[in-house]
Amino acid sequence: MITHPQKVEDMRERATLLNDMEQDLLAGRTKTAQALGWYTNWLAQKIKKHDYSKDFPTENYSPQ
Amino acid sequence: MSAEQIIKRIQAERKTVNAELYNAEGLLRLQETMSAYEGEYRLIWSDELLKELENRPKESLHATGLSILDDVIGGFKEQQLITIGGHTAHGKTQFGLFLVEQYEKLNPLIIPLEQSNEELVMQRRDNGYSIPKFLSPRSLAARVTCDWIEERVVEGIAKHNTKLVLIDHLGYINDFGKEGEFKGENTAYRIGQVMKGLKNIAKKWNVIILLLVHISQHDEGKPPSLEAVKNSSDIIQESDMVILIWRKNTLKKKVRVYEDKMLVSIQKNRRTGKNGSIGLAFDKLTGRYYEENDWVKSMEESARQSVEAEDMFDSL
């Protein structure tokens, strides 16, 4: 598998979260930004370490 | 850390994440496109391929008419690039012309780069030999390239359904690429490109190409081997079959005396993997070859005995 769709989905979510965090901080909503920060870091770890291939329904990709 | 510093860090992080996301989304799109790809270059399983081959009408092999040679090679077939190598004056052109005569039904085309078509015809006429029926270009381009050869092949196919092309010889094809991109490259590289070009013509236009090549100087008294093929390993690599010819000769008082016997040695045979040597004799009356294998057998026998004798000597 070159790229797992779920990994791309997680990357997309993280990009959105970082954007939201920035907006929250600019608006002075530090508590919300902090909560988002925790989740963003958790997602970063998942993207880095999680074995996405295990989530993949392999039977769809076996020959014939 | 101040809020400003945190925002700056987040902005930098966001930039990196967006770049990574851009790449990952591109790969995912490619992956999705390729998983649905059903075009001409799609990957297929070997069992599917086998089924397809079994349903295809059987390919006919074109026999040379020389029974021992046909036993070894099974005949030539379309899309093959066959290289015939040999020393100067060992009969490459004559053997090529002989094959052309054997394959008259394939409406052969000769690209005569060493000797002109006029010389070929006149020489055979003056010697009283049979003149094979072949097509050849009225005149040659100043620089013969693979594209130029391809145009002649297409003309032959369009006008006369040509199935066999004899090129005499590789050394005269001077191809620097479409835009001169091979000009700065060395000879071996350029020859490699020419070989790929010729193989491509054979496959694209479904013709047999017989390509004559020179071999490097070595002891003429012994039959040559693949290492003697000059200039580029691509000559052997790109060929479907490599045939080396050797004219029987002996050195008598520093003068080399040639006989009218020729060894035809199949050194590479991609289709069947079968190699072997056969003996031919040249008929001076007709200018044609016929099989005469006894001298080859005795030569092989004496070579075998000398190897055995060397082995025995080594084991002592």
Side-chain angles (χ1 to χ4, degrees), chain B residues 111-260:
Chain B
I111 309 283
L113 306 175
E114 191 168 51
Q115 274 178 293
S116 71
N117 48 4
E118 288 175 14
E119 277 175 326
L120 288 178
V121 169
M122 291 304 278
Q123 196 185 55
R124 286 191 73 90
R125 194 196 67 171
D126 294 347
N127 285 326
Y129 299 159
S130 61
I131 298 167
K133 199 176 171 208
F134 63 85
L135 292 160
S136 63
R138 169 68 68 196
S139 59
L140 298 177
R143 193 162 63 83
V144 172
T145 62
C146 286
D147 283 350
W148 186 84
I149 292 174
E150 187 170 358
E151 280 173 22
R152 308 286 76 73
V153 171
V154 175
E155 185 187 343
I157 295 168
K159 288 182 177 168
H160 308 283
N161 193 26
T162 292
K163 289 273 178 204
L164 182 120
V165 183
L166 171 72
I167 302 171
D168 185 9
H169 64 81
L170 173 67
Y172 284 90
I173 305 172
N174 216 347
D175 208 328
F176 297 127
K178 278 196 171 63
E179 323 228 298
E181 65 266 34
F182 311 145
K183 220 165 185 172
E185 301 289 348
N186 61 30
T187 313
Y189 181 85
R190 287 209 308 270
I191 287 179
Q193 293 304 316
V194 169
M195 289 303 290
K196 286 182 179 82
L198 295 177
K199 178 69 194 160
N200 196 35
I201 295 173
K203 279 163 81 175
K204 188 172 167 189
W205 298 105
N206 205 33
V207 291
I208 302 163
I209 295 185
L210 303 177
L211 175 69
L212 305 188
V213 300
H214 275 307
I215 59 169
S216 58
Q217 289 302 318
H218 80 300
D219 181 8
E220 245 189 286
K222 287 179 189 163
S225 60
L226 282 180
E227 292 81 51
V229 176
K230 248 180 177 177
N231 288 326
S232 171
S233 58
D234 282 336
I235 298 176
I236 295 161
Q237 216 161 303
E238 295 299 329
S239 303
D240 295 288
M241 194 182 290
V242 178
I243 300 174
L244 296 182
I245 60 163
W246 174 74
R247 194 166 162 193
K248 199 178 179 195
N249 64 82
T250 38
L251 203 56
K252 283 179 187 160
K253 291 180 185 166
K254 292 187 181 173
V255 177
R256 200 162 284 283
V257 182
Y258 295 97
E259 293 181 37
D260 287 326

Side-chain angles (χ1 to χ4, degrees), chain A residues 14 18 44, chain B residues 8-18:
Chain A
R14 189 158 178 263
L18 283 167
Chain B
K8 270 192 179 163
R9 262 184 67 181
I10 290 173
Q11 281 171 341
E13 177 78 3
R14 196 159 53 87
K15 219 174 168 184
T16 316
V17 167
N18 279 335

Side-chain angles (χ1 to χ4, degrees), chain A residues 2-21:
Chain A
I2 307 164
T3 306
H4 195 285
Q6 186 54 50
K7 186 176 180 178
V8 179
E9 195 46 54
D10 288 347
M11 287 170 87
R12 240 180 242 141
E13 193 178 353
R14 189 158 178 263
T16 314
L17 285 172
L18 283 167
N19 194 45
D20 291 350
M21 264 176 84

